[in-house]
Structure formats: structure tokens, C-alpha cells
Amino acid sequence: MPNRGAARLLVLLTIAGLLSVAAPASADERVPRPLLNVDFPDPAVVATPGGLVAYATGDRVPHAWSRGADGPWRRGPSLLTHRPSWSREGGVWAVDVARVRGRWLLYYATPVHGIGETGRCIGVARASSARGPFRPVGRAPLVCPSYARTPAAQDPMLPRDRTLPRAGVIDPSWFRDEDGATYLLYKTDRIPSTVRIVPLARDGQAVKPGATSVELFRSPGVLENPVLVRRPEGYVMLASEGDWTRCGYRTRWLRSASLLDWTAADGGMLLDKDTTGLCGPGGADLVEGRGGRLLAFLHGWTCRGTTLPCAGSGKWDHKPRQRGRRAMYAARLDWVDGVPQVAGWLRPR
């Protein structure tokens, strides 16, 4: 006969958030399944004639590839040949990749000296193939605050904003406007969060001569991983919000009629735990799929070696017994009155 007292205690602890368990198998019918159930945070995805290539946060940019968006996805080695001379050792965070004038460019955030344990600056690397190898370009960062101990960056973010922490810059994101001009968006790390934009040179490997970055908007909390698209109704940006270690991490959309003025922007929620069933759906990137439909690739926490989302509270990177990992998912998007909405989820082959 089961121990009713122990069972009751287990239920109470789970409700209180003191125990964390994966969602029950009976509840997974409507929950999206990961396309790649390995630790693959902040996926950046590009389409090539041979299929899709995805890149993740990690040691010198691990990657995966597939002939189709629904897989099967195969994970490959890191693609950045080495860290640049101005970097120190440490993981390379949340990259973006674009094909510019016949070359593949990798924008990445790597640790530097002088701005604490996690302070990073942004560089660019290039390759002849989407699957690398990517070799760093130049002897100085593309974007780096002037207070870091590196060679002067092309965008040193001057004059310095003393309302922001000395924490560096992360989350580079490449964007091409309708007139062909290209830009790099990025986030100043920690809070308050700001998203900035700087024009790029025609080859994408340098800041446009004489250009200065500007702040698009700021948030008192964490708002990061910007990705921008142009729609007839205006510019639409996706950004992750909250603590990436928790199930409450989520993806918002913002919309502005102007590229450089977001003071009148509207916005709303695109992906969160309540609407998707996923734990921490964030780090999204956009790519055009078959038939021209827009796909959003993102990560979410799965636990205990299963394909089920982690369930409960707490920081999943601090719970080794749960074996949490940020798996890769993909959602099909539709546009309703210029606003992105999830039309469905890709299921793995």
C-alpha cells in the first residue's frame, strides 16, 4: 500500500517550488518538441543552398546543420578558429551570421580584460562557407566600450553613458534595410538594458567610416538578443526578456515606424511559458523557410535527458541533478496586422 503521507508531502513540496520535475508524459501532446535536444543556447540560423546551419553560444561557436528545418539536425564542432588577440579565454556568446558580398560573416561577443569576469566585446570573423572555418578580422574589436583594456574599437560608444554599468556589450545582430544599408544591433550588458545600432561598411567587416552608434531603447530589466525585420507596417524587433536561467524567460515583439526612433514603439508577447508550454522560450532568431514562411528558431530548457520542458522554479543552470539543457525549437510565424503570431511548431523528423 502506498505511503499516503509521503505522497502528500511530495505534492506539497512540488507546489511550493521546492522540488522541480519534468512535465508528466501525459501532458506533452500539445507541448512542442525540440528539433535538437542537446545544449544549444541562443541559436542563430542561416539558410544555404544545401540546407540550414545553426550556431550556438559555447566555446568558439559550436554549430549544427540539416537539409531541412525539421531535421534531422546533426551537431558539429566549433567554427571559430581562434579568439582574437584582444580577447581573453572564455565562452563566445550569442552570435549572428550573415552572407555579405560573397563572404559569410560571424559576429560574436568574446571576453576581454578590464570589465569584470563576464565583460565582453564584439568582433567579426569571416569564412567562405557557412560552416566555416571562421577567422577573426582585424586587430581591434568592432564594438567595445572605451573603458575596456583592448585596442580602440571602431565603435567605442562615446561619449560614455555613466547611467549604464561597466559590463561590456553582447548579442550582436546583423540587419539589412530595404535600401541595402546594413547595421549591427547589440545590447549593453546587465541592467538597465539598452539596445544600440551602428551602421556598417558595405563589406560588413567594419563600422561605416564616421558613424556613431545610437541607443534605440532601454529597459529597467533584462531585454536582450535583438533581431530585426522590416515589414510593410514598420520595423519589428524580437527580444528576449527576463532571467535566461528560469522558465519565465520569454520573447517579446516591438514595432516602430522608424528604424532609429523607438520612442513610440508598441509591443507584445510572442513566446512565453503560458502560451507555449516551454520552459524559458528565448534567444530567438528568424530565417525564411520553404514557401517563404518565416521561422523562429529558439531555445527552451529540457530536463533529465528527456524532450519534456523543465517544470518548476529556480535557476536550471544551478541544478545539476536535473540535467537541464537549452534545446533548440522552431515555430512557424504568421503576420496579423503587422504583428508576429505563432502559427504552429515544427516537429522533428
Side-chain angles (χ1 to χ4, degrees), residues 182-229:
T182 59
Y183 301 84
L184 190 72
L185 291 88
Y186 60 89
K187 180 219 175 188
T188 58
D189 204 7
R190 301 189 190 172
I191 56 176
S193 301
T194 70
V195 171
R196 298 178 65 88
I197 189 171
V198 64
L200 293 174
R202 294 179 65 182
D203 66 1
Q205 300 175 45
V207 170
K208 184 178 180 180
T212 303
S213 62
V214 297
E215 181 180 308
L216 297 185
F217 56 81
R218 70 172 54 200
S219 167
V222 175
L223 200 65
E224 57 192 12
N225 291 305
V227 58
L228 189 63
V229 294

Side-chain angles (χ1 to χ4, degrees), residues 8-306:
R8 183 170 181 272
L9 177 61
L10 179 63
V11 171
L12 290 174
L13 287 173
T14 302
I15 292 173
L18 299 178
L19 289 180
S20 301
V21 298
S26 61
D28 74 345
E29 292 300 322
R30 291 171 294 177
V31 175
R33 292 172 55 196
L35 299 178
L36 182 62
N37 194 28
V38 301
D39 198 45
F40 203 79
D42 307 314
V45 182
V46 297
T48 75
L52 291 98
V53 183
Y55 315 81
T57 286
D59 182 26
R60 291 193 287 122
V61 195
H63 84 289
W65 74 97
S66 174
R67 290 191 177 276
D70 55 356
W73 285 85
R74 298 173 177 85
R75 191 170 184 183
S78 297
L79 296 182
L80 187 64
T81 57
H82 60 279
R83 293 175 183 82
S85 59
W86 47 266
S87 172
R88 61 177 177 81
E89 290 296 311
V92 176
W93 288 0
V95 307
D96 198 22
V97 175
R99 192 166 189 267
V100 181
R101 299 172 71 88
R103 292 183 181 270
W104 290 94
L105 302 181
L106 170 77
Y107 300 95
Y108 59 93
T110 187
V112 298
H113 293 284
I115 47 178
E117 182 180 354
T118 63
R120 282 166 165 76
C121 289
I122 294 170
V124 59
R126 68 188 177 208
S128 58
S129 166
R131 295 188 59 195
F134 287 90
R135 293 178 172 82
V137 174
R139 299 180 179 179
L142 199 62
V143 181
C144 193
S146 58
Y147 51 77
R149 295 210 307 266
T150 68
Q154 296 174 40
D155 175 18
M157 300 172 58
L158 293 175
R160 181 186 164 201
D161 186 342
R162 297 188 179 275
T163 67
L164 298 177
R166 294 169 60 99
V169 291
I170 59 173
D171 297 346
S173 181
W174 180 87
F175 170 68
R176 188 197 302 273
D177 208 350
E178 288 184 329
D179 62 1
T182 59
Y183 301 84
L184 190 72
L185 291 88
Y186 60 89
K187 180 219 175 188
T188 58
D189 204 7
R190 301 189 190 172
I191 56 176
S193 301
T194 70
V195 171
R196 298 178 65 88
I197 189 171
V198 64
L200 293 174
R202 294 179 65 182
D203 66 1
Q205 300 175 45
V207 170
K208 184 178 180 180
T212 303
S213 62
V214 297
E215 181 180 308
L216 297 185
F217 56 81
R218 70 172 54 200
S219 167
V222 175
L223 200 65
E224 57 192 12
N225 291 305
V227 58
L228 189 63
V229 294
R230 181 74 169 94
R231 296 288 301 174
E233 299 84 359
Y235 296 90
V236 177
M237 184 183 300
L238 302 188
S240 303
E241 182 179 59
D243 184 342
W244 64 268
T245 71
R246 299 178 183 270
C247 286
Y249 198 54
R250 52 203 174 269
T251 301
R252 285 194 168 274
W253 61 266
L254 302 98
R255 181 176 59 181
S256 171
S258 168
L259 174 62
L260 300 180
D261 183 0
W262 290 70
T263 55
D266 60 344
M269 190 64 62
L270 178 64
L271 304 159
D272 64 7
K273 181 177 180 294
D274 292 338
T275 58
T276 67
L278 301 181
C279 176
D285 192 23
L286 298 174
V287 65
E288 189 173 296
R290 292 173 182 168
R293 168 162 271 176
L294 200 63
L295 300 176
F297 286 84
L298 59 136
H299 71 237
W301 288 96
T302 61
C303 273
R304 296 183 175 178
T306 74

